[in-house]
Amino acid sequence: IVPEYDGTRPFFFKYRDYFLTMEHLERMKDVPSFEVREDDIWIVAFPKSGTTWIQEIVYLVMNNADTTKALQTTIDRRVPFFEFRMPGFKAISSLPSPRFIKSHLALSLLPDQMETKKPKTIYIYRNPKDIVVSYYSFFVKFLTYTKFTGNFEDFCRLFTEDKVHNGPWWKHVTEAWARRHDDNFLLLCYEDLQADLDKNVRIVAEFLGKSLTDEQVARIVKHCSFDSMKNNDTVNYEWLKDRGIARGETSFFRSGKVGDWKNHLSPDIVKRLDEIVATKLPEDFPVKDTLSM
Ligand code: A3P
């Protein structure tokens, strides 16, 4: 485990090729032996790739599009965050089946039993240019405790150097790409959801073995639009503000667009990210960083 410190933020640690904060690293010792169940549904993504979107879709697909039920409980309780301190491994271990579990860990860092129990796993990826803009907004501006003292350009540079929490991005998504043909694995893309949410809800339902009526699909699509989710207090993480974890003037649901990076990134960062896509990803990996693609 290699500590890294560059003066802009608290220590980060490299753990089996990935950068983790001290806080997450402390819990990693309990991850390999965590008991996985065959009927778990895991939602895995690099941060800011549309994880919350998939959490809500999966919950609704599995609950016959019961939006009233979804609106009764916050998403972090319905689909807990695996490696976060709340609710913690013990609480997740005692949840009834089928459990829905969200993780930002790379696939290779997940519990050992993922390989033997083979639970259904949905992975969503997004283009890195919009991710880095979204990640800065979330990590530096939205969260209160991350203590990053650098500016936006510093954060982008750290991202391109693979030194952000859960990075390297390219390694994280490449691991998922390698699994894309596995029966228990579904690879989705944020930009595809933006282009056709109806189609992607149907893809998720088929993968999870649920048959939904057109009316149920339409209800999920409406409930999961950007504007609807932004104003939905069970998914927009506004509750973190009451707990002092997030700042009042910012919003988890920021822009929800494809290609917004054009309004934010410097030419140098765009060049660095293009290089990562060109040199570090598998040749046929489709990164979609504009609407037209
Ligand atoms: P932006 O910051 O670009 O707006 P995650 O859930 O992995 O943290 O990802 C959060 C990003 O997904 C945010 O991106 C958020 O707005 C976007 N997102 C979440 N739900 C969405 C939806 N229903 N439609 C479009 N974008 C959504």
Side-chain angles (χ1 to χ4, degrees), residues 45-53 55 104 126 130 133-135 137-138 190 194 197 224-227 229 237 252-257 260:
F46 187 87
K48 314 321 290 175
S49 303
T51 328
T52 315
W53 207 358
Q55 285 173 263
H104 287 313
R126 184 184 190 184
D130 286 325
V133 177
S134 181
Y135 209 172
S137 169
F138 174 72
Y190 178 91
Q194 286 273 11
L197 188 52
C224 292
S225 74
F226 179 80
D227 288 335
M229 284 185 66
Y237 289 102
F252 182 91
F253 282 78
R254 189 188 58 89
S255 93
K257 295 215 163 61
D260 180 52

Side-chain angles (χ1 to χ4, degrees), residues 56-70 100 205 209-213 215-217 219-220:
E56 190 68 345
I57 292 169
V58 165
Y59 182 84
L60 287 169
V61 163
M62 293 302 291
N63 284 282
N64 306 313
D66 189 343
T67 49
T68 308
K69 188 174 171 195
F100 312 137
K210 294 289 288 186
S211 77
L212 300 178
T213 63
E215 193 274 328
Q216 287 173 323
V217 172
R219 195 168 340 137
I220 295 175

Side-chain angles (χ1 to χ4, degrees), residues 29-56:
K29 65 176 186 332
D30 296 322
V31 170
S33 60
F34 179 86
E35 284 191 28
V36 174
R37 298 183 202 153
E38 277 169 24
D39 59 0
D40 283 343
I41 296 172
W42 287 70
I43 295 161
V44 185
F46 187 87
K48 314 321 290 175
S49 303
T51 328
T52 315
W53 207 358
I54 299 298
Q55 285 173 263
E56 190 68 345

Side-chain angles (χ1 to χ4, degrees), residues 226-233 236 253:
F226 179 80
D227 288 335
S228 164
M229 284 185 66
K230 187 180 170 76
N231 294 311
N232 174 348
D233 284 340
N236 62 14
F253 282 78

Side-chain angles (χ1 to χ4, degrees), residues 7-229:
T8 61
R9 59 206 171 143
F11 284 95
F12 266 53
F13 292 84
K14 205 170 194 177
Y15 172 78
R16 288 163 55 184
D17 291 338
Y18 287 94
F19 267 76
L20 299 176
T21 58
M22 183 64 197
E23 205 239 319
H24 282 241
L25 183 72
E26 279 166 359
R27 277 188 299 283
M28 291 308 291
K29 65 176 186 332
D30 296 322
V31 170
S33 60
F34 179 86
E35 284 191 28
V36 174
R37 298 183 202 153
E38 277 169 24
D39 59 0
D40 283 343
I41 296 172
W42 287 70
I43 295 161
V44 185
F46 187 87
K48 314 321 290 175
S49 303
T51 328
T52 315
W53 207 358
I54 299 298
Q55 285 173 263
E56 190 68 345
I57 292 169
V58 165
Y59 182 84
L60 287 169
V61 163
M62 293 302 291
N63 284 282
N64 306 313
D66 189 343
T67 49
T68 308
K69 188 174 171 195
L71 287 167
Q72 282 164 8
T73 318
T74 55
I75 191 76
D76 56 349
R77 288 172 189 267
R78 290 182 279 127
V79 187
F81 185 3
F82 179 60
E83 67 271 22
F84 196 56
R85 63 178 186 278
M86 290 177 297
F89 299 131
K90 218 172 143 192
I92 298 175
S93 292
S94 57
L95 288 175
S97 287
R99 299 181 299 190
F100 312 137
I101 303 174
K102 152 198 162 173
S103 179
H104 287 313
L105 294 175
L107 295 169
S108 58
L109 300 189
L110 290 177
D112 294 345
Q113 285 189 352
M114 292 294 280
E115 294 306 315
T116 50
K117 298 284 170 92
K118 297 191 184 301
K120 285 188 176 149
T121 304
I122 301 182
Y123 186 100
I124 183 163
Y125 75 93
R126 184 184 190 184
N127 81 77
K129 294 174 187 167
D130 286 325
I131 285 180
V132 74
V133 177
S134 181
Y135 209 172
Y136 177 78
S137 169
F138 174 72
F139 192 80
V140 181
K141 292 199 202 146
F142 187 72
L143 295 178
T144 51
Y145 64 87
T146 46
K147 298 188 174 66
F148 183 82
T149 58
N151 60 26
F152 177 58
E153 193 72 9
D154 294 331
F155 187 88
C156 292
R157 183 181 44 77
L158 286 168
F159 184 97
T160 64
E161 291 170 355
D162 302 334
K163 295 176 181 169
V164 291
H165 185 48
N166 293 112
W169 167 81
W170 56 268
K171 201 172 177 65
H172 206 290
V173 297
T174 299
E175 282 192 34
W177 184 248
R179 297 276 312 275
R180 70 193 183 284
H181 298 309
D182 292 4
D183 288 343
N184 68 324
F185 196 79
L186 178 65
L187 182 66
L188 296 174
C189 166
Y190 178 91
E191 293 77 16
D192 290 347
L193 263 73
Q194 286 273 11
D196 193 340
L197 188 52
D198 183 292
K199 179 178 163 190
N200 279 271
V201 167
R202 289 173 196 276
I203 290 171
V204 169
E206 195 188 338
F207 175 69
L208 297 178
K210 294 289 288 186
S211 77
L212 300 178
T213 63
D214 288 348
E215 193 274 328
Q216 287 173 323
V217 172
R219 195 168 340 137
I220 295 175
V221 168
K222 187 165 173 238
H223 179 97
C224 292
S225 74
F226 179 80
D227 288 335
S228 164
M229 284 185 66

